[in-house]
Amino acid sequence: MGGPSGKNLVVLSGAGLSAESGVATFRGQGGLWEGQRIEEVATPGAFHRTPERVHRFYNLRRAALRTVQPNAAHAALVRLEREWPGRFLHVTQNVDDLNERAGARQLVHMHGQLLEIRCTACDGIWSWDRDVDTRTPCPGCRRAGGLRPHIVWFGEMPMHLDRIMTALARVDLFLCVGTSGVVYPAAGFALMAAENGCRRLIEVNVEATGISGDFTERRHGPASVEVPRLVNELLEQR
Ligand code: APR
């Protein structure tokens, strides 16, 4: 089992990884985002009915990225990626760019990214760090009205599932950092890893979650403390 020199490692992260950077989680503060429920704006129906409200919601979150920095947990995961002897993949549910800014390379955003937009007219995907609305012309086809956040909304298919399934098919160590484990398919990845023979699964969270029972170990505490500590342990044990 495992890569050229031993074990394959998969990390799954959620909003708790970025919480200490100042990026609000979805279900911590009663699940409100700027006074609205994520389920009311992050859906294709909401975008069809009130595109400007949905654009405003994402413009706010995209602009907020300029005010936050990666924290010690992001840095520790990059160190793990660089020094881990086997195969490494970080699957994040987060749409911020904090992992990239910390130096992450082996990273997939299964729920998309705030800094990308997609044109529903020409299917082009563009890096984008400014506001966007229904009047913004597509950088490719120049048509206005078709641009949307390149974000996976409720009811839509997550991205990069083929690469994620391949990684979970042969994983020896599964780390989960800062997810409440209520949104699938991510919430089922620990079980999938265990069914594929993974014998060491570690959950890092400030509290127990509905999927804590899927893990062989649990580290309770803030990611910025627990992840660097865990990475030190893993790299010493390698
Ligand atoms: N350190 C570690 N864990 C933390 C911290 C912290 N400092 N702060 C909060 N947490 C934990 C919370 O206990 C919770 O379990 O992070 C988790 C955040 O859960 P959610 O807000 O539900 O975020 P997430 O699990 O990433 O949501 C999954 O749901 O809304 C959709 O698409 C969106 O990607 C998101 C998905």
Side-chain angles (χ1 to χ4, degrees), residues 124-160:
I125 297 170
W126 317 93
S127 289
W128 196 273
D129 62 3
R130 308 181 299 286
D131 283 358
V132 60
D133 62 31
T134 53
R135 294 182 307 279
T136 312
C138 167
C141 69
R142 310 303 309 154
R143 275 171 280 186
L147 291 178
R148 62 163 277 180
H150 191 43
I151 296 264
V152 178
W153 285 331
F154 288 96
E156 295 184 323
M157 275 298 285
M159 301 175 188
H160 310 293

XYZ file of all heavy atoms in Angstrom, residues 124-160:
300
model
N -16.588 29.503 -20.066
C -15.213 29.881 -19.692
C -15.093 30.041 -18.185
O -16.055 30.417 -17.514
N -13.897 29.718 -17.653
C -13.626 29.907 -16.220
C -12.471 30.879 -16.122
O -11.443 30.690 -16.789
C -13.249 28.574 -15.544
C -14.429 27.591 -15.630
C -12.852 28.789 -14.077
C -14.094 26.170 -15.211
N -12.649 31.942 -15.303
C -11.653 33.024 -15.264
C -11.245 33.334 -13.831
O -12.083 33.317 -12.940
C -12.255 34.288 -15.900
C -13.011 34.000 -17.163
C -14.348 33.755 -17.289
C -12.468 33.828 -18.484
N -14.674 33.458 -18.601
C -13.543 33.501 -19.356
C -11.168 33.927 -19.010
C -13.359 33.283 -20.723
C -11.016 33.702 -20.374
C -12.087 33.388 -21.201
N -9.944 33.616 -13.636
C -9.526 34.141 -12.328
C -10.165 35.517 -12.181
O -10.247 36.275 -13.165
C -8.004 34.280 -12.275
O -7.438 32.998 -12.233
N -10.658 35.811 -10.953
C -11.404 37.062 -10.792
C -11.306 37.516 -9.344
O -11.631 36.733 -8.458
C -12.873 36.819 -11.161
C -13.640 38.085 -11.402
C -14.291 38.840 -10.462
C -13.821 38.737 -12.663
N -14.871 39.922 -11.073
C -14.605 39.903 -12.412
C -13.410 38.469 -13.959
C -14.982 40.778 -13.424
C -13.788 39.345 -14.971
C -14.564 40.492 -14.696
N -10.801 38.746 -9.113
C -10.691 39.168 -7.701
C -11.481 40.441 -7.419
O -11.324 41.052 -6.365
C -9.218 39.377 -7.319
C -8.588 40.484 -8.147
O -9.322 41.114 -8.958
O -7.379 40.725 -7.980
N -12.370 40.812 -8.381
C -13.118 42.077 -8.193
C -14.596 41.743 -8.039
O -14.984 40.592 -8.011
C -12.904 42.951 -9.429
C -11.423 43.130 -9.781
C -11.218 44.006 -10.995
N -11.843 43.469 -12.209
C -11.363 42.431 -12.897
N -10.319 41.773 -12.451
N -11.953 42.012 -13.988
N -15.404 42.800 -7.942
C -16.854 42.579 -7.909
C -17.335 42.111 -9.284
O -16.670 42.332 -10.301
C -17.574 43.894 -7.543
C -17.465 44.187 -6.042
O -16.867 43.348 -5.329
O -17.958 45.246 -5.610
N -18.454 41.441 -9.294
C -19.081 41.028 -10.557
C -20.591 41.154 -10.367
O -21.099 41.009 -9.255
C -18.668 39.574 -10.911
C -19.096 38.601 -9.844
C -19.210 39.168 -12.267
N -21.291 41.539 -11.457
C -22.763 41.567 -11.372
C -23.347 41.233 -12.740
O -22.612 40.812 -13.651
C -23.237 42.937 -10.854
C -22.831 44.072 -11.798
O -22.752 43.815 -13.028
O -22.554 45.181 -11.316
N -24.630 41.394 -12.874
C -25.274 40.928 -14.115
C -24.877 41.795 -15.314
O -25.155 41.444 -16.455
C -26.813 40.973 -13.956
O -27.163 42.298 -13.532
C -27.279 39.946 -12.919
N -24.229 42.932 -15.045
C -23.843 43.794 -16.181
C -22.405 43.520 -16.636
O -21.960 43.975 -17.674
C -23.969 45.277 -15.783
C -25.409 45.729 -15.504
C -25.470 47.235 -15.147
N -24.536 47.544 -14.040
C -24.836 47.309 -12.758
N -25.996 46.750 -12.441
N -23.977 47.578 -11.799
N -21.656 42.745 -15.833
C -20.229 42.528 -16.143
C -20.087 41.653 -17.386
O -20.649 40.549 -17.413
C -19.540 41.824 -14.950
O -19.898 42.489 -13.742
C -18.028 41.822 -15.121
N -19.350 42.132 -18.418
C -19.186 41.294 -19.613
C -18.202 40.156 -19.362
O -17.224 40.317 -18.617
C -18.642 42.266 -20.657
C -18.014 43.374 -19.884
C -18.723 43.455 -18.565
N -18.434 39.011 -19.982
C -17.529 37.865 -19.850
C -16.179 38.224 -20.510
O -16.182 38.738 -21.640
C -18.139 36.651 -20.542
S -16.968 35.281 -20.792
N -15.037 37.942 -19.852
C -13.742 38.244 -20.466
C -13.519 37.468 -21.771
O -12.717 37.851 -22.597
C -12.722 37.786 -19.405
C -13.481 37.602 -18.149
C -14.898 37.326 -18.527
N -14.273 36.393 -21.952
C -14.089 35.576 -23.156
C -15.071 35.956 -24.246
O -14.708 36.519 -25.273
N -16.345 35.684 -24.004
C -17.334 35.884 -25.087
C -17.922 37.290 -25.068
O -18.754 37.627 -25.920
C -18.444 34.832 -24.970
S -19.527 35.038 -23.519
N -17.553 38.087 -24.068
C -17.967 39.496 -23.987
C -19.456 39.680 -23.690
O -19.906 40.812 -23.575
C -17.637 40.296 -25.269
C -16.225 40.172 -25.795
C -15.143 40.562 -24.828
N -15.367 41.885 -24.219
C -14.871 42.231 -23.006
N -14.187 41.369 -22.290
N -15.084 43.429 -22.501
N -20.197 38.560 -23.551
C -21.621 38.736 -23.251
C -21.775 39.088 -21.782
O -21.043 38.586 -20.916
C -22.388 37.439 -23.582
C -22.790 37.337 -25.055
C -23.334 35.965 -25.404
N -22.228 34.996 -25.611
C -22.442 33.735 -26.048
N -23.672 33.317 -26.272
N -21.428 32.920 -26.224
N -22.776 39.913 -21.436
C -23.052 40.256 -20.025
C -24.215 39.400 -19.551
O -24.968 38.852 -20.343
C -23.424 41.735 -19.916
N -24.318 39.264 -18.228
C -25.487 38.575 -17.669
C -25.283 37.092 -17.432
O -26.093 36.446 -16.790
N -24.157 36.532 -17.943
C -24.001 35.086 -17.785
C -22.981 34.685 -16.749
O -22.793 33.506 -16.480
N -22.314 35.675 -16.142
C -21.232 35.322 -15.204
C -21.808 34.896 -13.855
O -22.761 35.486 -13.349
C -20.294 36.524 -15.003
C -19.443 36.894 -16.230
C -18.602 38.128 -15.926
C -18.556 35.720 -16.652
N -21.228 33.847 -13.266
C -21.635 33.379 -11.921
C -20.377 32.988 -11.150
O -19.345 32.670 -11.744
C -22.574 32.189 -12.003
C -21.980 30.958 -12.659
C -22.798 29.717 -12.348
N -22.431 29.156 -11.029
C -22.994 28.072 -10.501
N -23.983 27.448 -11.141
N -22.608 27.600 -9.325
N -20.462 32.975 -9.808
C -19.302 32.494 -9.043
C -18.998 31.043 -9.424
O -19.933 30.248 -9.655
C -19.777 32.577 -7.583
C -20.901 33.559 -7.588
C -21.573 33.411 -8.930
N -17.721 30.702 -9.538
C -17.357 29.303 -9.847
C -17.335 28.540 -8.524
O -16.304 28.069 -8.065
C -15.989 29.259 -10.538
C -15.657 27.911 -11.118
N -16.571 27.141 -11.817
C -14.508 27.194 -11.095
C -15.998 26.018 -12.201
N -14.752 26.018 -11.762
N -18.494 28.484 -7.926
C -18.699 27.901 -6.588
C -19.747 26.797 -6.734
O -20.687 26.942 -7.525
C -19.232 28.999 -5.623
C -18.183 30.101 -5.448
C -19.686 28.394 -4.304
C -17.296 30.001 -4.252
N -19.596 25.703 -6.017
C -20.580 24.618 -6.064
C -21.709 24.960 -5.102
O -21.483 25.069 -3.888
C -19.921 23.282 -5.676
C -20.967 22.169 -5.672
C -18.797 22.944 -6.649
N -22.920 25.136 -5.611
C -24.069 25.460 -4.764
C -24.799 24.197 -4.339
O -24.588 23.117 -4.905
C -25.003 26.383 -5.567
C -24.456 27.789 -5.670
C -23.643 28.418 -4.773
C -24.672 28.726 -6.733
N -23.331 29.676 -5.223
C -23.960 29.901 -6.402
C -25.404 28.692 -7.921
C -23.958 31.034 -7.229
C -25.411 29.818 -8.748
C -24.685 30.965 -8.398
N -25.625 24.342 -3.357
C -26.396 23.184 -2.877
C -27.152 22.577 -4.064
O -27.742 23.307 -4.870
C -27.365 23.616 -1.768
C -26.653 23.931 -0.494
C -26.319 25.243 -0.189
C -26.246 22.925 0.370
C -25.618 25.543 0.973
C -25.550 23.207 1.540
C -25.245 24.528 1.830
N -27.074 21.277 -4.196
C -27.767 20.605 -5.295
C -26.891 20.447 -6.518
O -27.273 19.778 -7.473
N -25.699 21.053 -6.529
C -24.796 20.911 -7.688
C -23.700 19.893 -7.377
O -23.405 19.612 -6.219
C -24.184 22.275 -8.034
C -25.232 23.291 -8.503
C -24.616 24.616 -8.950
O -23.625 25.056 -8.332
O -25.144 25.206 -9.899
N -23.094 19.363 -8.415
C -22.051 18.341 -8.253
C -20.748 18.987 -7.758
O -20.320 19.991 -8.335
C -21.751 17.684 -9.613
C -22.683 16.556 -9.941
S -22.527 15.219 -8.731
C -20.960 14.492 -9.266
N -20.131 18.434 -6.705
C -18.816 18.922 -6.302
C -17.802 18.723 -7.427
O -18.034 17.925 -8.347
C -18.462 18.051 -5.090
C -19.763 17.539 -4.595
C -20.622 17.383 -5.813
N -16.692 19.422 -7.371
C -15.667 19.366 -8.420
C -14.549 18.388 -8.031
O -14.358 18.073 -6.866
C -15.058 20.764 -8.628
C -16.101 21.798 -9.031
S -15.343 23.448 -9.122
C -16.842 24.442 -9.353
N -13.810 17.924 -9.041
C -12.602 17.092 -8.842
C -12.904 15.760 -8.146
O -12.013 15.181 -7.510
C -11.549 17.869 -8.020
C -11.271 19.250 -8.547
N -10.661 19.463 -9.769
C -11.560 20.474 -8.053
C -10.582 20.773 -9.991
N -11.113 21.412 -8.968
